[in-house]
Amino acid sequence: MHISIQDRIRQLLASDDVVGVLGLREEHGAVAPYVFTTAEETSRLTMEPKWALAKTAWRISRSLPAGKSLGLVCRGCDIRALEELVKAQQLPPGAIKTIGVACSTEQSMTCMCETPFPPDGEALAGVDPMSLPAVLDLSIEPGRLDRWREHFQRCIKCYGCRNACPVCVCPSCKLEEEGYVTLGMVPPEPMAFHLIRAMHVADRCVGCGACQDSCPAELPLLAFHLAMRNALRERTGYISGTPAVSPLLTVGREEGPIGTAGPVWEDTLESCRDRDPV
């Protein structure tokens, strides 16, 4: 028997541990995130347009009382982002209870998404991004470096891509440190800003496109990160957004000399829980 999203929200709200359900509400012709707390409010629930909600849910979860949880009506990419936050010890398992919905064919084409459905949902046909000319032109074809230089010249270093990214939650950011990125310089040169960010999210990016959606310069950042995700999968078989452990962590641990201290950033995961993110 099919259960509507509204009914699933009502079921969550009936649980003593759920304080509310985050979703999209339409009001006076405008759509924005909203925490539903009563069954009556769900009449204004909407699923369009696509709105990345994982980071908003994560921020709310940090202020939840002990033993309480937040419901979340979201797409598959949001659920995969939450999985990465759990693995990074930034989100206790069960703190966010998801109601996953599938994306339309049109939306999956826009996002160039291979898996436009929640992990526990019915598998639907997606898009192979590496078959699309827009991605191949920037990741495979000759002259791609020059094309990226041209794109990155439009960057105003607003940090929108970092701030919108659901897996960018470090309490301090290398992109604000002299020596990694020249402070006060716009556009960032020589491409250090975006290359450093790509390296930092290489095994956590879930291809949600929040970075591109937030970019005022309309940089094709999604193509950049989808190509990166594909390269990691081809070389290691790893796909982010799943319970699997990143090979970029395990390889370093297995191959390092016995007794060698782990990287500093590895040791900060536990302490990050109670610190404010960027």
Side-chain angles (χ1 to χ4, degrees):
M1 178 180 177
H2 177 73
I3 302 177
S4 70
I5 296 175
Q6 284 82 358
D7 286 339
R8 294 173 67 184
I9 292 176
R10 294 185 185 104
Q11 289 176 354
L12 281 182
L13 291 176
S15 302
D16 292 336
D17 64 319
V18 176
V19 299
V21 178
L22 175 64
L24 295 179
R25 183 182 71 161
E26 185 173 4
E27 180 95 22
H28 305 303
V31 175
Y34 181 81
V35 177
F36 297 90
T37 57
T38 66
E40 292 72 25
E41 292 178 315
T42 62
S43 62
R44 296 178 179 175
L45 174 75
T46 182
M47 296 308 304
E48 300 295 340
K50 177 193 172 185
W51 197 308
L53 291 173
K55 195 161 194 174
T56 302
W58 171 76
R59 289 184 182 279
I60 294 174
S61 73
R62 291 168 65 85
S63 60
L64 289 175
K68 298 296 183 179
S69 59
L70 176 74
L72 175 63
V73 181
C74 60
R75 301 170 189 266
C77 53
D78 284 318
I79 297 176
R80 292 186 281 274
L82 295 176
E83 181 70 54
E84 288 301 313
L85 292 175
V86 169
K87 288 193 291 187
Q89 300 178 25
Q90 293 296 302
L91 181 67
I96 297 177
K97 299 182 178 181
T98 59
I99 299 174
V101 296
C103 292
S104 65
T105 299
E106 181 183 4
Q107 186 63 65
S108 63
M109 287 294 296
T110 299
C111 293
M112 300 181 284
C113 182
E114 293 182 275
T115 52
F117 50 88
D120 60 351
E122 178 185 356
L124 302 174
V127 178
D128 177 9
M130 300 310 295
S131 69
L132 301 177
V135 178
L136 293 175
D137 183 60
L138 292 170
S139 61
I140 302 295
E141 300 298 334
R144 58 188 180 277
L145 181 59
D146 290 335
R147 287 189 287 278
W148 276 119
R149 289 185 189 277
E150 183 178 347
H151 281 305
F152 288 150
Q153 284 296 316
R154 303 199 308 274
C155 177
I156 61 173
K157 202 162 64 174
C158 67
Y159 291 90
C161 55
R162 180 203 64 182
N163 295 342
C165 177
V167 297
C168 275
V169 295
C170 294
S172 61
C173 182
K174 296 299 181 185
L175 297 178
E176 294 182 353
E177 293 184 14
E178 191 73 60
Y180 288 92
V181 175
T182 302
L183 303 182
M185 178 181 289
V186 176
E189 183 61 33
M191 301 196 301
F193 184 93
H194 291 284
L195 294 179
I196 289 173
R197 207 185 86 79
M199 179 189 70
H200 282 191
V201 300
D203 61 341
R204 292 178 289 148
C205 172
V206 295
C208 67
C211 54
Q212 179 168 292
D213 292 342
S214 68
C215 180
E218 299 184 343
L219 301 182
L221 297 173
L222 184 55
F224 187 36
H225 290 286
L226 288 176
M228 176 184 65
R229 277 169 51 83
N230 183 71
L232 182 61
R233 178 170 56 186
E234 285 188 342
R235 288 165 173 76
T236 69
Y238 177 73
I239 301 176
S240 60
T242 67
V245 178
S246 168
L248 299 190
L249 296 178
T250 57
V251 169
R253 292 194 184 108
E254 292 170 357
E255 296 182 357
I258 295 177
T260 301
V264 173
W265 51 265
E266 235 182 279
D267 294 337
T268 64
L269 283 177
E270 186 72 24
S271 62
C272 283
R273 293 182 182 178
D274 301 320
R275 297 176 63 184
D276 291 332
V278 170

